Amino acid sequence: MGARRANEKDADRHIGRRALLIGGAAAAAGTAVLARDELGRLWWRTPGVEKPRKEGEVDYAGARWVAASDANWRRADRPEDYGVDLVVIHVTQGSFDSAVKVFQDPGHGAAAHYIVGKDGTVAQMIRELDVAYHAGNRDYNERSVGIEHEGFVDRPQDFTAEMYESSARLTARICARYDIPVDREHIIGHVEVPGTDHTDPGEHWDWDRYMKLVRKARTAVA
């Protein structure tokens, strides 16, 4: 998180949803083939139709909902309008509560989808459907899910076993949901985002340990 990122709000939203001609498909396949629940899953893929949402709903069952300011993210319908193929790992440079506070501040101009605490607590602050301003790079924001971790980059003791395990389960679920490969090309640190001036998660983040935990959790999900 560190220094405030520039507000990446933009008015020109890309419209690139796949057009599914449900009516034509039904005519071709027959109404008996397209079951009611199938239509229920596909109707929102029609251009101009947004996915159904419920206030306070989370994408990860282990998370509690704490809403970020709507100034710190952009409404979207991922992965239909933007494919999701990255998870970006951050460190808050502060406490769990301070991260929540700044993500709720409309003047901050940035927020991640999730925050993971030292005790393994997970808060979701932005829906995965939506584009969070977390990476400092518009393209990477649009194609990624951002996860903040409580602590400081120069304090290895902040990266607890509970945090690693909880975060790994979260990342494994995200990878399963979007068919993201569990490797270091697709699970990256904020420092690896092109154009960023951030160094998190820093040299004390144990990537080997973390990736082993993510792979283990991903196998369990499968």
Side-chain angles (χ1 to χ4, degrees):
M1 200 163 65
R4 290 190 175 183
R5 307 170 181 87
N7 193 328
E8 297 167 86
K9 187 186 298 182
D10 54 283
D12 58 321
R13 178 178 175 182
H14 294 172
I15 304 299
R17 299 186 183 88
R18 282 174 282 171
L20 295 184
L21 303 179
I22 295 173
T31 55
V33 177
L34 284 178
R36 180 175 298 176
D37 62 339
E38 180 79 359
L39 291 174
R41 286 191 302 106
L42 296 180
W43 71 269
W44 46 258
R45 293 189 178 185
T46 304
V49 176
E50 293 188 331
K51 293 183 179 73
R53 297 165 182 252
K54 294 180 181 178
E55 185 175 355
E57 188 174 38
V58 295
D59 298 298
Y60 176 62
R64 63 182 175 89
W65 177 255
V66 184
S69 168
D70 59 11
N72 298 330
W73 56 274
R74 187 173 82 243
R75 192 177 179 94
D77 287 304
R78 303 191 311 171
E80 299 310 311
D81 46 6
Y82 307 108
V84 177
D85 64 356
L86 292 170
V87 176
V88 181
I89 302 299
H90 303 260
V91 172
T92 62
Q93 290 297 93
S95 69
F96 187 98
D97 290 343
S98 67
V100 169
K101 184 176 180 180
V102 297
F103 290 171
Q104 291 179 325
D105 177 3
H108 183 63
H113 294 91
Y114 295 96
I115 305 173
V116 180
K118 295 178 188 178
D119 62 356
T121 297
V122 179
Q124 181 169 6
M125 301 196 68
I126 299 168
R127 290 293 306 275
E128 290 177 19
L129 294 168
D130 298 319
V131 176
Y133 304 151
H134 68 98
N137 177 308
R138 176 173 171 168
D139 176 56
Y140 276 64
N141 284 343
E142 290 172 349
R143 56 190 283 217
S144 68
V145 173
I147 305 175
E148 287 277 2
H149 296 81
E150 178 184 14
F152 294 84
V153 296
D154 59 351
R155 289 171 52 92
Q157 64 269 32
D158 289 348
F159 306 140
T160 65
E162 294 84 358
M163 173 185 285
Y164 276 121
E165 291 166 5
S166 179
S167 177
R169 289 191 295 270
L170 170 59
T171 294
R173 285 287 180 179
I174 294 167
C175 290
R177 187 158 31 252
Y178 304 106
D179 198 24
I180 300 172
V182 178
D183 59 37
R184 288 284 284 113
E185 292 182 7
H186 297 86
I187 302 172
I188 65 173
H190 192 185
V191 67
E192 297 170 87
V193 174
T196 186
D197 60 355
H198 291 258
T199 62
D200 55 314
E203 63 179 351
H204 297 299
W205 181 262
D206 191 337
W207 278 110
D208 289 340
R209 177 182 182 181
Y210 186 66
M211 294 303 295
K212 287 177 182 177
L213 289 169
V214 176
R215 292 186 189 101
K216 180 179 178 181
R218 180 67 181 87
T219 300
V221 171

